[in-house]
Amino acid sequence: MERTTYAGLVNESYLDQTVTLTGWVQKRRNFGELVFIDLRDREGIVQLTFNAKHPQALAIAQEARSEYVLAVTGKVVRRADDQINTKLASGQIEIEVQEAEILASSKTPPFYIEDGVNANEELKLQYRYLDLRRPEMQKNLRIRSKLMASAMRFMDEHDFINIETPYLAKSTPEGARDYLVPSRVFPGSFYALPQSPQLFKQLLMGAGFDRYFQIARCFRDEDLRGDRQPEFTQLDLETSFMSAEQIQNLVSQWVKQIMKDVVDFDLDIDHIQILTWQESMDRFGTDKPDLRIAYEIKDLSSMMADVDFGVFAQTIQKGGVVKALAVPGGAEHYSRKDIDKLTKYIERFGAKGLAWLKVTDDGLNGPIAKFFNDEQAQEILTLSGAKSGDLILFGAGRQDIVAASLDYLRRQTAADLNLIATDRPWRFAWIVDWPLFEYSEDFGRWIAAHHPFTMPNEEDLHYLDEGEDPHQAHAQSYDLVLNGYELGSGSIRIHRMDIQEKMLKALGFTPEKAQEAFGFLLEGMEYGFPPMGGIALGLDRLAMLLAGQDNIREVIAFPKNSRATEPMTQAPTAVDFKQLAELGLEVEPAETPRDEK
Amino acid sequence: MERTTYAGLVNESYLDQTVTLTGWVQKRRNFGELVFIDLRDREGIVQLTFNAKHPQALAIAQEARSEYVLAVTGKVVRRADDQINTKLASGQIEIEVQEAEILASSKTPPFYIEDGVNANEELKLQYRYLDLRRPEMQKNLRIRSKLMASAMRFMDEHDFINIETPYLAKSTPEGARDYLVPSRVFPGSFYALPQSPQLFKQLLMGAGFDRYFQIARCFRDEDLRGDRQPEFTQLDLETSFMSAEQIQNLVSQWVKQIMKDVVDFDLDIDHIQILTWQESMDRFGTDKPDLRIAYEIKDLSSMMADVDFGVFAQTIQKGGVVKALAVPGGAEHYSRKDIDKLTKYIERFGAKGLAWLKVTDDGLNGPIAKFFNDEQAQEILTLSGAKSGDLILFGAGRQDIVAASLDYLRRQTAADLNLIATDRPWRFAWIVDWPLFEYSEDFGRWIAAHHPFTMPNEEDLHYLDEGEDPHQAHAQSYDLVLNGYELGSGSIRIHRMDIQEKMLKALGFTPEKAQEAFGFLLEGMEYGFPPMGGIALGLDRLAMLLAGQDNIREVIAFPKNSRATEPMTQAPTAVDFKQLAELGLEVEPAETPRDEK
């Protein structure tokens, strides 16, 4: 029996035709001489009926159970009126089966195969091939596939050359922890799985390819959070002889095409906001603002130096800031208890408390209202933009703590109050003019904000010279942001050895260490490397957003869990000691996994 | 200065226009007040002229050297008659440069950047970014890129879902040596880089995706030969509910599309020969025949049992075979010395010698001619198909040695005598009906000819039962062959646990070992896995053939050398001992690399 179409595609246009379908038993209702089976394939579900007119088929139907694989041939007929299901594409018809075959049987699955099923996450990963049968997972991975096809097609049509770069690469310092691969030919030596194709794509520009593109797997051995995986995928491109603005414009067009192809959304490129990093931090407290939320952070520092409220006044005197967020209609929604909860949350950013005011028709209300005279109250309203019925939330203290707190409060209150705009649901922004360096609390030193190959602004090049403060420099870098998520990060690269050497020095590399780590790149730059720049977009995150999911695991076929384990195959596993001997390795296996120590 | 077009694209249609170009100095001829520069970019070369009318530009030209990167603006003018270069697309015109800028300088490269340059292979790999600037390498990688775009587009248009499978996977027995990746969370445990996505794609069929496609990187830690790399790329697909013939037909259409898109060749699918494995071995001595060579191997065993030539007669008596190859026009071309050389070569296959006859108008000629009477001589001519002027080469002995020898002799003599047909330059063939198992001299045991998941022919399933000889079974597998190269290997897969268990048993797995290695797959098959099959084509090899190259390194941007080292970055390298401690690893570095021991 040869399939004639997908089960999920049979509709009224097939009426009276004979079709052969294959698929899985989603549900069976057995009335003895009459059996109904919902047959599922990747396109959807169709109802099969089996009756005594076709005893062979009926016998098969009686034998079949959930998740059996069937092939059936039958006639497409109209359903009885009381059988019509308007929720299904095939809801008007059913197949009267004449012939049936069981292609594979199935044990009872460990969980129901339907969307929203309540099953243990680890169990679902262990039986991933069953969980992936759910319509939602099928849809998610098809969205990801469409996204890749669209991205690739645009790049091909714009003369980008798809070039594969090595996965067995060199371990480099900077950045996250590498996954290592021991060498058998040179025992004691290791390849590293690349954290990105960054260096290779710069070398490809040095090689004159002019426009490079790759869908590249990247690897980072980091502690895992909800939106991180040990391996992830980037839409990676690089071009020569283009300015930052030209690259941003090209990427905007690319994203427009993807949005059209994947979610049929007409993105108006003129709607993509371009914000400097500073402006984004000032207005939204973050470098990845969610522009679907209309209200913004306002700086009230100028008026707070000599108010009676000591907390604010002292903050300003100590060099801190006082900023406010006027949450529209928030006065009624938030009780003191609610506000206590918000306060608790922002303590993780270092906030010492959360001052607030409610705006009524009669003026300001709340425990700190008494500290402001009429004129100051008016100024608070003017500067914060608050209106009657709003809740004003204050951040006071160190710049970065205030930013993180008010960013969180903005997103949380918008979610609570349904203030995330649904018209123009996809709000992209370019964040430009980033600092070249940022201070890393993790490393306890200054690191490259983007990466060590990012070109400073022309006018800031002097900051890398002897005796100047490199941390003043800003960079020719740009992030693409969508609805509060960073989609990708790009920059113009350093193509001159002298600048690259200064940059590495500013990052604390001795000349010897710089040579050891990046000697091949520095040497390459002596042989005519062109001006170049590019970007990498996170495919997993973009697919997640376009699929309407909130975890990238939902758009990855076989993800790792939070301990970097794949519960189905149980990778990683112990290996044969002979294999290790060939690699010149000895292991000291720990009694317990590292993350439990 | 913003580039207006590629240098290599400027031709007569641009006459009198002002253009801005960027690129590399290929060649400079300096006549003081007049300087010519050949400017190269990825599209080709254009001639720039600099003269005293534009002193700023002239000064730049005088400063420029080979491989400097320039931006220039100038007018497209017709060349003087004696300057016309018919070899260049831009040979009728040149650019009179008005403004020039040096974007990057260059040291003198370690070798000339031109095709056919005579430089040490290792040096070229060390400066790969320079070697890649050569027009031929640019062309090769663009062919590869085109091939990927074409392959992807066809798959997208045929509703295949592009799904990425993990690179941090589980180490499995069978097959080649795995590259391992130590786990930090579970010290002493290892991921393996996959040798192919085989198991994952079967699981995706189990998950109901129906049609899967991926351009997948694969990894094998094997000893390297000219056409092997530690990492390589497959065009990988899998489908459900299709027969072997249907899959072959789909792949034939796919390849037809690729040939059209990449090399503009109209492949007639009816010209793709379908040969059983046995027929291919009989006629060509190999499972990957070059069908551009018209002459074939003939079996003369039937007549040789009682000839006077003892070597042949005894071979037959001992159960061996005597086969012959009539090389058209070979009688004159090959001296005894030449034949001695061929003999020497086939000794590596185990051949003990090479008997031969030359055919003249007067009959057979050569040292063994005297052993055959007239009737036998006539039979030799009839069976071998030899005509006057031909050279008959004999293989006598064990079946496999004769096959390997005559396969080699067929290809070598065809190359020597220019007998490789150039009409229909791309000869594809499907080789079908393979043995399920083959005896491996390397392993000293029977192994899966394809892989352990290959479905036997329906009528051969009983061979896997207790007390039968599994090595009799043939498989539902198929190879795609092009011009003597294996492009890819596919099969219908086992989708039932009972058959898979028998197959693993026949391969020597105990039930425990089978569970440990493939338990997740065996368990999956209990939950309704559909009939499935697929194929993987070697992208590197196909790109190599389409680019007219004879080494896959020529179509890989950053290949490894024969010791699996990347001479540019020098990967693999030593790593920080702290990194190893985190992984619970100790290394015992060898004094010398493993391959020199």
Side-chain angles (χ1 to χ4, degrees):
Chain A
M1 288 199 280
E2 192 174 314
R3 175 170 69 188
T4 55
T5 183
Y6 283 111
L9 295 183
V10 182
N11 58 22
E12 286 176 277
S13 72
Y14 284 83
L15 264 178
D16 297 327
Q17 291 181 33
T18 296
V19 293
T20 297
L21 307 174
T22 56
W24 283 258
V25 175
Q26 175 71 26
K27 204 168 70 184
R28 194 186 67 132
R29 285 166 293 155
N30 188 353
F31 302 103
E33 295 288 274
L34 179 65
V35 179
F36 293 101
I37 284 179
D38 281 351
L39 189 74
R40 183 193 72 237
D41 68 10
R42 75 177 214 184
E43 299 297 336
I45 279 177
V46 74
Q47 177 167 291
L48 311 177
T49 62
F50 300 79
N51 58 43
K53 271 192 282 178
H54 306 288
Q56 181 271 345
L58 183 62
I60 293 289
Q62 276 159 344
E63 193 184 337
R65 296 290 180 277
S66 280
E67 300 308 315
Y68 272 45
V69 183
L70 303 185
V72 299
T73 296
K75 200 170 151 191
V76 183
V77 299
R78 194 173 291 282
R79 291 194 190 189
D81 282 352
D82 62 339
Q83 290 275 324
I84 285 172
N85 181 343
T86 53
K87 283 185 207 148
L88 283 183
S90 64
Q92 302 284 335
I93 56 94
E94 60 189 8
I95 316 289
E96 197 182 316
V97 177
Q98 292 146 7
E99 237 190 295
E101 188 185 344
I102 292 175
L103 300 178
S105 60
S106 174
K107 296 202 298 190
T108 304
F111 46 81
Y112 280 112
I113 295 176
E114 59 186 27
D115 290 333
V117 66
N118 189 12
N120 176 289
E121 196 58 33
E122 201 71 3
L123 189 71
K124 283 162 77 179
L125 287 177
Q126 187 189 337
Y127 293 93
R128 185 68 167 174
Y129 43 87
L130 297 180
D131 197 37
L132 287 173
R133 289 182 188 168
R134 284 193 292 120
E136 189 174 23
M137 293 307 294
Q138 295 270 322
K139 185 205 72 179
N140 289 349
L141 289 183
R142 289 177 84 165
I143 282 179
R144 185 186 179 109
S145 174
K146 257 194 183 178
L147 170 48
M148 286 195 274
S150 171
M152 188 78 105
R153 195 170 290 222
F154 182 95
M155 285 291 125
D156 188 38
E157 285 165 2
H158 287 75
D159 293 327
F160 280 75
I161 306 176
N162 186 355
I163 301 178
E164 293 170 277
T165 53
Y167 287 149
L168 294 171
K170 188 194 179 188
S171 184
T172 54
E174 282 300 282
R177 200 186 284 107
D178 285 324
Y179 276 106
L180 299 179
V181 182
S183 159
R184 182 177 50 87
V185 181
F186 299 91
S189 288
F190 294 80
Y191 304 96
L193 299 178
Q195 297 182 28
S196 88
Q198 184 61 38
L199 293 176
F200 289 113
K201 67 179 181 172
Q202 290 181 220
L203 291 160
L204 288 172
M205 292 303 101
F209 285 101
D210 202 80
R211 295 188 150 201
Y212 143 92
F213 172 66
Q214 186 180 197
I215 296 182
R217 203 74 62 89
C218 304
F219 304 86
R220 285 187 199 165
D221 186 8
E222 287 183 293
D223 299 318
L224 305 174
R225 293 185 311 214
D227 63 345
R228 276 196 193 159
Q229 284 279 318
E231 48 183 310
F232 55 97
T233 305
Q234 287 185 344
L235 302 171
D236 192 46
L237 68 86
E238 193 79 4
T239 75
S240 299
F241 305 113
M242 283 175 81
S243 67
E245 291 71 27
Q246 288 174 321
I247 295 170
Q248 287 160 43
N249 187 43
L250 179 90
V251 173
S252 293
Q253 289 178 46
W254 187 34
V255 166
K256 178 185 172 72
Q257 184 67 51
I258 288 171
M259 297 303 291
K260 183 68 193 167
D261 290 345
V262 181
V263 291
D264 195 26
F265 178 76
D266 284 305
L267 174 65
D268 186 338
I269 289 180
D270 294 337
H271 284 168
I272 301 180
Q273 288 198 42
I274 300 175
L275 301 168
T276 66
W277 176 86
Q278 191 61 58
E279 188 183 354
S280 181
M281 294 305 294
D282 288 348
R283 290 173 55 190
F284 310 106
T286 174
D287 51 26
K288 38 181 195 281
D290 188 341
L291 298 176
R292 295 172 304 174
I293 305 167
Y295 50 110
E296 303 181 4
I297 297 167
K298 304 292 178 181
D299 193 346
L300 274 60
S301 303
S302 60
M303 65 162 289
M304 293 298 177
D306 39 34
V307 293
D308 289 346
F309 186 41
V311 174
F312 285 0
Q314 282 154 30
T315 293
I316 301 299
Q317 281 150 29
K318 283 189 214 146
V321 296
V322 176
K323 299 191 175 188
L325 190 67
V327 182
E332 200 171 337
H333 187 272
Y334 289 95
S335 65
R336 288 198 181 211
K337 216 167 142 191
D338 295 331
I339 295 174
D340 285 347
K341 262 192 215 158
L342 296 175
T343 311
K344 190 89 199 141
Y345 194 95
I346 61 173
E347 281 171 5
R348 69 181 62 182
F349 306 120
K352 297 274 190 296
L354 172 56
W356 55 272
L357 288 168
K358 290 185 176 180
V359 188
T360 66
D361 289 342
D362 303 328
L364 300 177
N365 210 334
I368 68 164
K370 59 182 178 225
F371 294 111
F372 304 104
N373 60 33
D374 283 356
E375 196 185 331
Q376 289 167 336
Q378 187 52 50
E379 200 168 354
I380 287 174
L381 289 176
T382 307
L383 288 176
S384 71
K387 298 180 305 297
S388 180
D390 291 359
L391 170 71
I392 305 177
L393 298 171
F394 289 93
R398 226 172 66 194
Q399 175 102 7
D400 56 340
I401 294 172
V402 169
S405 304
L406 292 181
D407 165 41
Y408 164 76
L409 292 170
R410 181 170 168 270
R411 288 180 290 113
Q412 187 57 49
T413 53
D416 292 344
L417 291 164
N418 252 323
L419 292 173
I420 299 174
T422 50
D423 66 310
R424 284 180 39 220
W426 307 102
R427 306 277 181 110
F428 289 88
W430 283 108
I431 312 299
V432 302
D433 195 32
W434 288 65
L436 185 58
F437 299 92
E438 67 184 20
Y439 189 78
S440 163
E441 301 283 352
D442 288 358
F443 291 94
R445 60 180 172 85
W446 288 85
I447 61 169
H450 191 65
H451 56 52
F453 317 106
T454 304
M455 185 70 126
N457 287 335
E458 283 295 327
E459 63 272 23
D460 291 355
L461 274 173
H462 67 91
Y463 285 124
L464 296 181
D465 289 339
E466 206 64 46
E468 296 228 32
D469 176 12
H471 309 132
Q472 298 293 317
H474 278 236
Q476 299 186 46
S477 58
Y478 35 84
D479 271 20
L480 183 62
V481 166
L482 170 60
N483 291 357
Y485 288 89
E486 179 211 312
L487 282 189
S489 205
S491 66
I492 300 297
R493 325 300 183 184
I494 297 169
H495 72 284
R496 275 170 43 193
M497 192 189 68
D498 56 337
I499 302 174
Q500 187 64 66
E501 282 182 341
K502 285 180 194 170
M503 181 71 189
L504 290 172
K505 195 178 163 201
L507 286 166
F509 281 78
T510 62
E512 297 70 36
K513 221 177 117 199
Q515 270 304 320
E516 192 193 321
F518 303 113
F520 60 99
L521 179 69
L522 292 167
E523 188 178 15
M525 288 179 184
E526 294 196 273
Y527 290 102
F529 269 34
M532 64 182 85
I535 198 168
L537 302 190
L539 172 65
D540 305 283
R541 196 172 285 168
L542 182 52
M544 174 190 90
L545 291 173
L546 297 188
Q549 300 294 329
D550 57 10
N551 190 309
I552 56 170
R553 280 208 290 262
E554 305 300 306
V555 293
I556 297 174
F558 300 103
K560 305 283 191 294
N561 66 14
S562 59
R563 296 164 81 194
T565 294
E566 204 274 87
M568 183 183 59
T569 63
Q570 294 178 325
T573 58
V575 297
D576 193 335
F577 76 94
K578 272 188 261 167
Q579 256 176 303
L580 298 181
E582 276 192 309
L583 300 170
L585 288 184
E586 283 179 13
V587 301
E588 352 155 18
E591 292 292 307
T592 52
R594 190 72 33 151
D595 61 353
E596 290 181 353
K597 275 183 184 169
Chain B
M1 288 201 279
E2 193 176 314
R3 176 169 69 187
T4 55
T5 183
Y6 283 111
L9 295 182
V10 183
N11 58 22
E12 286 175 278
S13 72
Y14 284 82
L15 265 178
D16 297 328
Q17 292 181 31
T18 296
V19 293
T20 296
L21 308 173
T22 57
W24 284 259
V25 175
Q26 174 72 24
K27 205 167 70 183
R28 193 188 66 134
R29 286 166 294 154
N30 188 353
F31 304 104
E33 296 287 273
L34 179 66
V35 179
F36 294 102
I37 283 178
D38 282 353
L39 189 74
R40 185 193 71 236
D41 68 10
R42 74 175 215 186
E43 300 296 335
I45 279 175
V46 73
Q47 178 167 290
L48 311 177
T49 63
F50 300 79
N51 58 42
K53 272 192 284 177
H54 305 288
Q56 180 271 345
L58 183 62
I60 293 288
Q62 278 160 343
E63 193 185 335
R65 296 292 180 276
S66 281
E67 300 308 316
Y68 272 46
V69 183
L70 304 184
V72 298
T73 296
K75 200 172 150 187
V76 182
V77 298
R78 194 173 291 285
R79 290 194 192 190
D81 283 352
D82 62 340
Q83 289 275 326
I84 285 172
N85 182 342
T86 53
K87 282 184 208 148
L88 283 184
S90 63
Q92 303 283 336
I93 56 94
E94 60 189 9
I95 317 289
E96 199 184 314
V97 178
Q98 292 147 6
E99 236 190 297
E101 187 185 344
I102 293 174
L103 299 177
S105 61
S106 174
K107 295 202 299 190
T108 304
F111 46 82
Y112 281 111
I113 294 176
E114 59 186 28
D115 290 334
V117 67
N118 189 12
N120 177 289
E121 196 58 33
E122 201 72 3
L123 190 70
K124 282 161 76 179
L125 287 177
Q126 188 188 338
Y127 294 94
R128 186 67 167 177
Y129 45 87
L130 297 180
D131 197 38
L132 287 173
R133 289 181 189 170
R134 286 192 291 118
E136 190 175 21
M137 294 307 294
Q138 294 269 323
K139 186 204 72 181
N140 290 349
L141 288 183
R142 288 177 84 166
I143 282 179
R144 185 187 179 109
S145 174
K146 257 192 183 180
L147 169 47
M148 285 194 275
S150 171
M152 188 79 104
R153 195 170 291 222
F154 181 95
M155 284 291 126
D156 188 38
E157 285 165 2
H158 287 75
D159 292 328
F160 280 75
I161 306 176
N162 186 355
I163 302 178
E164 293 170 278
T165 54
Y167 286 150
L168 295 172
K170 187 192 179 187
S171 184
T172 54
E174 283 299 284
R177 199 186 284 108
D178 285 324
Y179 277 105
L180 300 179
V181 182
S183 158
R184 180 177 51 86
V185 181
F186 298 90
S189 289
F190 293 80
Y191 305 96
L193 300 177
Q195 297 183 29
S196 87
Q198 183 60 40
L199 293 176
F200 288 113
K201 67 181 181 171
Q202 291 181 218
L203 292 160
L204 288 172
M205 291 304 101
F209 285 102
D210 201 80
R211 296 188 148 200
Y212 143 92
F213 173 66
Q214 186 180 197
I215 296 183
R217 202 75 61 88
C218 305
F219 305 85
R220 285 186 200 167
D221 186 7
E222 288 183 294
D223 299 319
L224 305 174
R225 294 184 311 214
D227 63 345
R228 276 197 194 159
Q229 284 280 320
E231 50 183 309
F232 55 98
T233 305
Q234 288 186 344
L235 302 171
D236 193 46
L237 68 86
E238 193 80 4
T239 75
S240 299
F241 305 112
M242 283 175 81
S243 67
E245 292 70 28
Q246 288 174 320
I247 295 169
Q248 288 161 44
N249 186 44
L250 179 89
V251 174
S252 293
Q253 290 178 45
W254 188 33
V255 166
K256 179 184 171 72
Q257 185 66 51
I258 288 171
M259 296 304 289
K260 183 68 192 166
D261 289 345
V262 182
V263 291
D264 195 25
F265 177 76
D266 283 307
L267 174 66
D268 186 339
I269 288 179
D270 294 336
H271 282 170
I272 302 180
Q273 287 197 42
I274 300 174
L275 300 168
T276 66
W277 176 85
Q278 191 61 57
E279 186 181 357
S280 181
M281 293 305 293
D282 289 347
R283 290 171 56 189
F284 311 105
T286 174
D287 52 26
K288 39 179 192 283
D290 188 341
L291 298 176
R292 293 172 305 173
I293 305 167
Y295 50 108
E296 302 181 2
I297 297 167
K298 302 293 179 180
D299 193 345
L300 275 61
S301 302
S302 60
M303 65 163 288
M304 293 299 179
D306 40 31
V307 293
D308 288 347
F309 185 42
V311 174
F312 284 2
Q314 283 154 30
T315 294
I316 301 299
Q317 282 151 28
K318 283 189 215 147
V321 296
V322 176
K323 299 191 175 189
L325 191 67
V327 181
E332 201 171 334
H333 186 271
Y334 287 94
S335 67
R336 286 194 181 216
K337 219 168 138 189
D338 293 332
I339 295 174
D340 285 348
K341 262 193 217 158
L342 296 174
T343 311
K344 191 88 202 143
Y345 195 95
I346 62 174
E347 281 170 6
R348 71 182 60 183
F349 305 120
K352 297 273 191 294
L354 174 56
W356 55 272
L357 288 168
K358 289 185 174 179
V359 187
T360 67
D361 289 342
D362 302 328
L364 299 178
N365 210 334
I368 67 164
K370 60 183 179 224
F371 294 112
F372 303 104
N373 61 33
D374 284 355
E375 196 186 329
Q376 288 168 336
Q378 187 51 52
E379 202 168 354
I380 287 174
L381 290 175
T382 308
L383 289 175
S384 73
K387 297 178 310 295
S388 180
D390 290 0
L391 170 70
I392 305 178
L393 298 171
F394 289 93
R398 223 172 68 193
Q399 176 101 6
D400 57 339
I401 295 171
V402 170
S405 303
L406 292 181
D407 166 40
Y408 165 75
L409 293 169
R410 179 169 168 272
R411 288 179 293 113
Q412 186 57 49
T413 54
D416 292 344
L417 292 163
N418 252 323
L419 292 172
I420 298 173
T422 50
D423 67 309
R424 284 180 40 219
W426 307 103
R427 306 275 183 113
F428 288 88
W430 283 108
I431 312 298
V432 302
D433 196 32
W434 288 65
L436 186 58
F437 298 92
E438 68 185 19
Y439 189 78
S440 163
E441 300 284 352
D442 288 357
F443 291 93
R445 60 179 172 88
W446 290 85
I447 60 168
H450 190 66
H451 56 53
F453 318 106
T454 305
M455 185 69 128
N457 287 334
E458 283 294 327
E459 63 272 24
D460 291 356
L461 275 174
H462 68 90
Y463 286 124
L464 295 181
D465 289 340
E466 206 65 45
E468 297 228 34
D469 177 11
H471 309 133
Q472 299 292 318
H474 278 235
Q476 299 186 47
S477 59
Y478 36 84
D479 270 20
L480 184 63
V481 166
L482 170 60
N483 292 356
Y485 288 88
E486 180 211 312
L487 282 189
S489 207
S491 65
I492 298 298
R493 326 298 183 185
I494 298 170
H495 72 284
R496 276 169 42 194
M497 192 190 68
D498 57 336
I499 304 175
Q500 188 64 65
E501 282 182 340
K502 286 180 191 168
M503 180 72 189
L504 290 172
K505 193 177 165 200
L507 287 165
F509 281 77
T510 61
E512 296 71 33
K513 221 176 116 198
Q515 270 304 322
E516 190 192 324
F518 303 113
F520 60 99
L521 179 70
L522 292 168
E523 188 178 15
M525 288 178 183
E526 295 195 272
Y527 290 102
F529 269 33
M532 64 183 86
I535 197 167
L537 301 189
L539 173 66
D540 305 282
R541 195 173 284 167
L542 181 53
M544 174 190 90
L545 291 172
L546 298 188
Q549 299 294 330
D550 56 10
N551 191 309
I552 56 169
R553 280 207 290 261
E554 305 300 305
V555 293
I556 298 175
F558 301 103
K560 304 285 190 295
N561 67 14
S562 59
R563 294 165 79 195
T565 294
E566 205 273 87
M568 183 181 62
T569 62
Q570 295 178 323
T573 58
V575 296
D576 193 334
F577 77 95
K578 270 187 263 168
Q579 257 176 301
L580 298 181
E582 275 193 310
L583 300 170
L585 290 184
E586 282 180 13
V587 301
E588 351 156 19
E591 291 292 308
T592 52
R594 188 92 6 171
D595 61 352
E596 289 180 355
K597 275 184 183 170

